Amino acid sequence: MQTTVLGKTGMEVSRIAFGTWQLGGEWGAFDEQQAVSAIRHARDLGVNFFDTAQAYGFGKSEEVLGNALRDELNRDRDSLVIATKGGINPGGERPRDASRAWLRRGVEESLRALKIDYIDLYQVHWPDESTPAEETASALQEMVDEGKIRHVGVSNYDADQMAAFDRTRPVETLQPPYHLFRRGIEREVLPYTREHDVGVLVYSPLASGLLTGRMSRETTFESDDWRAQSSAFQGETFRRNLEVVDRLSEFASARGNAVSQLAIAWTLAQRGVHVAIVGARSPRNIESSLAAADIELSDDELAEIERLTSDAVSVEGAAPEGVA
């Protein structure tokens, strides 16, 4: 497994991080034992970077992750990089809450759920326009000083929001959505992170399953799967992007890869992207995803991918307030 230094954090992490959004209940039912096996298998294959969030099942995802890695967390804590996120309250009167009080409560709850003494990387899950950036940043710095967290990042922030945070304490990492059908960060966000040495770990490199090549027009989702309400998986948008996936699949197959591997490799090939977060509910999909970190795409191949996706429809995803 290839590793990289995650921006100004100085942490050496695997270029593929294991993500656990799918283990919180928002993607339908899952087999917890299979999920634990998937996490352990990823670790056996060299992944040392694991990302979760308090909001994924209100701590359920954190509990599963902590239980899966318990032996190594007890034996060799420094060998693992555990990232989690807080600052939102899905379903609450205030879905986004990056206030000092809520962040502190969140950190304490995450530490208990994960059963660890410190969090390697704590990220503000979504920007909260109701709380001054100075309050959010200073609250997190206080918890760094207390030893509860080691590094501070943000998720889903734009360049202006990161700059406001930076005026109080540096943004060390950013976790944005990024894939072949969602490329908005290329305009202002990635230039900002490159200029300020911000470590970038992108989520949804497989477009929430669309770029796995396993979907068709007949694909449906369980009622408790957020994709059942998403415009990205319905109607003309879904149909047109499936046609793009078909073309990408042919291109990937010709070079001996799965389209999912091509999609992950594409994200990692973009300047300024350090890590791609990939999730799985069972061990069988892990090896293919991890192999993507070793794929090198030439300039000509990257240009061909641009051509094949030129008519793709840009899509959005889930937010604390609902699904686009």
Side-chain angles (χ1 to χ4, degrees):
M1 169 54 59
Q2 290 189 18
T3 62
T4 188
V5 175
L6 188 60
K8 68 185 70 169
T9 71
M11 294 189 295
E12 187 170 352
V13 298
S14 47
R15 292 211 74 194
I16 302 290
F18 190 101
T20 61
W21 183 13
Q22 75 282 2
L23 309 182
E26 293 89 353
W27 299 71
F30 69 96
D31 183 313
E32 185 168 333
Q33 190 52 54
Q34 283 287 303
V36 167
S37 296
I39 293 167
R40 290 177 176 167
H41 192 44
R43 179 61 187 133
D44 289 341
L45 294 173
V47 172
N48 76 334
F49 195 12
F50 296 85
D51 180 76
T52 185
Q54 181 187 19
Y56 299 164
F58 295 94
K60 178 62 177 178
S61 172
E62 292 175 320
E63 290 178 4
V64 172
L65 179 61
N67 291 337
L69 298 173
R70 179 56 44 210
D71 287 348
E72 191 166 0
L73 284 169
N74 291 339
R75 183 183 69 253
D76 190 12
R77 174 67 181 87
D78 288 343
S79 66
L80 297 170
V81 177
I82 305 296
T84 192
K85 299 179 286 293
I88 65 171
N89 183 17
E93 292 184 5
R94 184 177 174 182
R96 306 185 188 209
D97 189 348
S99 65
R100 174 176 275 99
W102 186 255
L103 285 174
R104 182 167 288 277
R105 174 178 168 178
V107 167
E108 297 292 352
E109 290 181 355
S110 291
L111 288 169
R112 286 195 295 272
L114 287 158
K115 296 183 177 66
I116 54 179
D117 295 327
Y118 64 87
I119 296 162
D120 297 281
L121 173 62
Y122 196 80
Q123 304 152 98
V124 183
H125 205 152
W126 284 83
D128 170 18
E129 298 294 347
S130 298
T131 300
E134 179 182 6
E135 177 181 340
T136 299
S138 62
L140 292 171
Q141 182 59 49
E142 288 168 7
M143 288 183 280
V144 170
D145 295 339
E146 294 166 9
K148 297 180 187 296
I149 58 181
R150 292 195 168 176
H151 300 282
V152 172
V154 297
S155 181
N156 299 295
Y157 272 48
D158 63 26
D160 289 342
Q161 290 161 340
M162 283 188 284
F165 194 105
D166 268 336
R167 286 193 281 272
T168 299
R169 69 96 65 207
V171 172
E172 295 178 81
T173 67
L174 171 70
Q175 183 177 150
Y178 189 46
H179 52 74
L180 282 162
F181 300 132
R182 191 172 185 180
R183 300 178 60 172
I185 65 170
E186 294 174 356
R187 292 189 293 273
E188 296 179 358
V189 171
L190 282 179
Y192 184 93
T193 59
R194 289 194 296 263
E195 180 182 353
H196 294 85
D197 192 25
V198 175
V200 176
L201 49 154
V202 302
Y203 71 85
S204 295
L206 296 177
S208 302
L210 185 55
L211 284 161
T212 62
R214 295 194 294 268
M215 292 185 180
S216 70
R217 295 187 194 182
E218 289 70 44
T219 297
T220 59
F221 304 94
E222 298 176 40
S223 59
D224 55 352
D225 187 320
W226 70 270
R227 293 173 294 182
Q229 285 78 48
S230 173
S231 61
F233 298 91
Q234 299 174 23
E236 184 68 6
T237 295
F238 191 38
R239 184 193 67 78
R240 285 180 56 185
N241 283 344
L242 283 175
E243 292 177 353
V244 174
V245 174
D246 286 342
R247 296 197 296 267
L248 290 169
S249 295
E250 292 180 7
F251 177 69
S253 179
R255 69 186 314 283
N257 300 124
V259 67
S260 59
Q261 293 176 315
L262 186 75
I264 295 168
W266 177 87
T267 63
L268 292 175
Q270 305 310 303
R271 194 162 68 92
V273 174
H274 297 79
V275 171
I277 303 172
V278 178
R281 300 194 203 191
S282 64
R284 68 179 180 272
N285 298 324
I286 297 295
E287 294 184 19
S288 175
S289 294
L290 298 190
D294 295 321
I295 295 174
E296 294 187 9
L297 297 170
S298 68
D299 290 343
D300 287 345
E301 288 171 325
L302 289 169
E304 179 63 7
I305 292 170
E306 291 289 332
R307 187 187 72 79
L308 293 171
T309 59
S310 60
D311 61 343
V313 182
S314 180
V315 300
E316 297 297 322
E321 295 78 20
V323 178

